[in-house]
Structure formats: structure tokens, C-alpha cells
Amino acid sequence: VRNPGQTENSIYRGGRTVREYIFTKAEQDGRLEREDVLELLSIAVGSVDYYRLLELAEADAHRRFGNKGQIYAQIGLNASPCPANCGFCSLAKDVFNPDNSFTLPIENVSGIAGQLAEAGADEIFLMTTADYDNEIFLKCGEAVRKLIPPTMRLVANVGDFDLSYASELRSAGFTGAYHIRRLGEGKDTQLDPRQRIKTLDAIKSSGLELYYCVEPIGPEHSYEEIADEIIRGRDYEADVMAVMKRVCVPGTALWGRGEIDSDEQAKICAVTELCVKPRRAMGVHEPDLKSLRAGANQIYAEVSVNPRDLSLKTETGRGASVAKAEAMLKETGWGHQRR
Ligand code: SF4
């Protein structure tokens, strides 16, 4: 059941409605507790409180991020049947055609990264399937590091790893890692949720920046589950936080479960911004105008493989270009400064 049972403005605390109390706390930069998060998530889309929530999160993000939007660019390094077999992913071993497998040569990866940096991306992400070779990935990182500005952040989005490999990532020039305990992890994926947490611990211990995300959100996920991941992002002091709805990719195991709409995603985005207040950026993945008006200031451009796309060149499919991302930031009132 999606709503935890409260009716609008039905519960009182200190003479005020609970919701009024939470809004005031959020306005005053107070810490939102789990029950506050659940109450905000239960707000009905389209209600007066819904628009108040979105406005509050938008104002909060503009104030905290100084009106600056950010564009990260992600390159998918390989396509092959991935053993993690995530039920929403076009690369899952049960659905990906092995005949379509490929791995981008290292020089291509570094070349694309250089172009994306030149085009105006703020940070570069390298993404692989869960079984990509660790040593080759380090070499990719080293090659990219040489072709992008020295101060530009470089982020790994790979399978699980330990502290020793996290340190190797740093030595290769990576500054951060995108890693998550997914909604439905271990049920809709063939990955061990405990291993995901160990990797989060390794990232934090290594000094890499952590990029966390509440994802992939589907209509079946309860607000309790969503709140757990919002709070986890805060507990891990994610440097960058994000929300992402699950995209229904035809042929994947979870295709039939459907999607949440951008109004619902914007609400989750707003609550996440107000609860986590990530230090550097609050993202929505993939780019979405509504969430950019609800607390998000960061979106992605994407090149090559993308788990949410059947095209192996997502730049010709779902993937946004840096120019498109820049236009979306501008349309929603976010400035974007080129390096
Ligand atoms: S989402 Fe990532 S880990 Fe899961 S199947 Fe796809 S490529 Fe593998």
C-alpha cells in the first residue's frame, strides 16, 4: 500500500498539523526524521501541499547550490550479458543478445571523454557491467585522466569492490564512485544487498566521493522502502544524491510493472533534497524538467550503452547530449558555467 495511512492534515502536534510542523522545520533547515519523510512522501500529487513541497525544495536547492546547475556525462564502456541480471536492465543476461556484445577500446573511451569535457560536461562517469575486468577499467581511468582537465572529477560506476580496489581507483585518477543499494536489490537483481553495503563502506573508507541514488523507483515500491534509501544516502553523507524512476525497457523482466510518472518522481526528488541536503549536487537521472523544478540541479548526458535503452548508442536514443542537458537547465532557471 503506497500511503502509510495518514489523511491530509489529520494528525496534530503542538496545535499544528503534523504536515505544517514538518514544512516549518524544512523551511528552517531542520533535520527531517524518517516519520517526517514518510509524511511528505504521502502528500497527494496535485494537492496544495504538493506544490508547496516542490516550491520549498526548489528554493532550498537554489539557495544551497547558488543557482548553479551541473551536467555529468556518462560513458557506457561495454555491452554484454551481465550476470547481475537486474530485471529492469537491457544488459541483463536473460535478455541481452550476446551477439551484440562489444567493449569500447581504451583510446575510444578517452577520446569520447575528452569530447564530452570539451562540450561542457562538468564531470565524467565511466560505467560497466558488473563483470568488467578490474585492471582494464583502471587503465581506462588512467587514459581518461590524461585527456580531461586535471581538476575535473572522474567517477566509477562499476560492480562491487573492496577497499583495496577503491584505493586503486583513486590511484588511477578516479575521484568518486556511483554506488547504490537498489530498491528491490537481491529480489529484482542477482546481487547480494549486503555486498552492496560493503562496497559503500569501502568507498567511504577510501576517501572517494560517494554518489548515491534512490533507484530504480517503480510503482510497487512502498514509501517505507523509498524512505530507507533516502535516509541511507544521508547516513552515508553522500556528496551527490539523486533520484531515478525505473524506465520500462521492452523485453525486460520488470517491463510489465509500469512506471511512476514525473509528478511522483518530482515529489520524491523534493523530499530527498530536503532530507539529505547533499553537499555538492542533487540529481535526477534521467533528465527531467519537473524534478529540476523540485530540488534537483544536476542531470546526465549519456554516450554508448545505457541500461535503460535498447539502442547500443544511447546518444541516438534516450541519452541526452550535453547541449540538451544545458538547455534543460536553462529552461528551469539553473545557470551552467562552462569550465
Ligand atoms: S543494471 Fe548494471 S549490474 Fe544490473 S544487469 Fe544492468 S549492467 Fe548489470
Side-chain angles (χ1 to χ4, degrees):
V1 179
R2 295 222 58 145
N3 292 320
Q6 290 97 335
T7 56
E8 290 225 357
N9 299 329
S10 63
I11 309 169
Y12 289 81
R13 189 187 292 169
R16 286 179 292 167
T17 64
V18 164
R19 205 166 281 170
E20 194 59 41
Y21 169 82
I22 299 168
F23 276 135
T24 304
K25 187 154 65 159
E27 270 160 5
Q28 295 173 351
D29 240 4
R31 179 184 170 89
L32 298 187
E33 304 302 335
R34 190 172 190 277
E35 63 191 23
D36 302 331
V37 168
L38 285 171
E39 178 63 24
L40 292 180
L41 288 172
S42 75
I43 290 174
V45 166
S47 64
V48 171
D49 281 350
Y50 173 80
Y51 291 106
R52 184 174 176 191
L53 171 67
L54 266 51
E55 204 179 327
L56 187 56
E58 184 180 25
D60 186 71
H62 275 273
R63 176 181 58 82
R64 294 194 321 103
F65 300 128
N67 295 326
K68 272 170 58 182
Q70 293 195 47
I71 300 168
Y72 300 165
Q74 177 151 274
I75 308 168
L77 267 50
N78 72 310
S80 61
C82 180
N85 213 26
C86 302
F88 47 84
C89 178
S90 60
L91 300 166
K93 70 177 180 189
D94 284 354
V95 298
F96 187 76
N97 180 352
D99 296 342
N100 293 333
S101 299
F102 73 88
T103 301
L104 287 180
I106 293 177
E107 57 274 21
N108 290 24
V109 176
S110 54
I112 295 168
Q115 287 165 11
L116 288 165
E118 188 70 21
D122 297 299
E123 305 187 9
I124 300 292
F125 284 51
L126 303 185
M127 179 186 67
T128 71
T129 54
D131 57 349
Y132 192 88
D133 185 273
N134 280 355
E135 292 308 311
I136 296 175
F137 188 74
L138 293 173
K139 288 193 171 70
C140 278
E142 286 164 3
V144 169
R145 186 77 268 168
K146 288 184 189 140
L147 278 191
I148 60 175
T151 55
M152 187 178 237
R153 286 178 164 92
L154 177 60
V155 184
N157 181 358
V158 296
D160 286 299
F161 52 85
D162 60 14
L163 179 56
S164 148
Y165 189 66
S167 303
E168 289 188 72
L169 287 170
R170 283 198 75 177
S171 303
F174 287 93
T175 55
Y178 177 95
H179 208 78
I180 48 168
R181 189 248 183 237
R182 299 179 186 84
L183 293 161
E185 195 83 84
K187 289 182 288 186
D188 296 325
T189 73
Q190 290 181 12
L191 297 170
D192 183 348
R194 290 166 301 184
Q195 190 57 51
R196 306 295 292 171
I197 300 295
K198 281 185 186 166
T199 304
L200 291 174
D201 293 338
I203 291 166
K204 291 302 289 186
S205 301
S206 71
L208 287 166
E209 285 189 318
L210 173 64
Y211 297 66
Y212 200 70
C213 184
V214 183
E215 66 125 308
I217 309 166
E220 77 277 20
H221 296 127
S222 68
Y223 288 141
E224 281 80 2
E225 289 173 281
I226 290 168
D228 284 347
E229 296 316 315
I230 294 174
I231 303 276
R232 200 189 309 278
R234 181 169 70 187
D235 287 348
Y236 272 94
E237 298 178 350
D239 300 276
V240 175
M241 188 72 192
V243 295
M244 185 184 89
K245 72 172 196 169
R246 185 179 64 231
V247 169
C248 284
V249 180
T252 55
L254 302 191
W255 178 79
R257 288 193 195 166
E259 298 181 5
I260 62 166
D261 60 25
S262 63
D263 291 336
E264 177 71 9
Q265 180 176 249
K267 180 175 71 178
I268 298 168
C269 178
V271 178
T272 305
E273 159 61 15
L274 293 174
C275 174
V276 180
K277 296 185 186 287
R279 186 175 65 84
R280 289 207 307 102
M282 175 66 212
V284 56
H285 189 167
E286 45 200 38
D288 178 79
L289 291 171
K290 191 126 198 175
S291 285
L292 283 170
R293 289 215 174 271
N297 74 323
Q298 179 268 309
I299 48 180
Y300 283 87
E302 293 176 276
V303 174
S304 187
V305 183
N306 168 356
R308 288 165 283 102
D309 200 348
L310 289 174
S311 169
L312 297 175
K313 290 184 170 206
T314 196
E315 63 273 27
T316 63
R318 297 190 71 92
S321 63
V322 173
K324 183 180 175 191
E326 215 161 32
M328 290 179 76
L329 288 176
K330 191 171 175 201
E331 190 178 342
T332 48
W334 290 103
H336 183 242
Q337 242 176 353
R338 296 222 166 183
R339 302 174 69 90

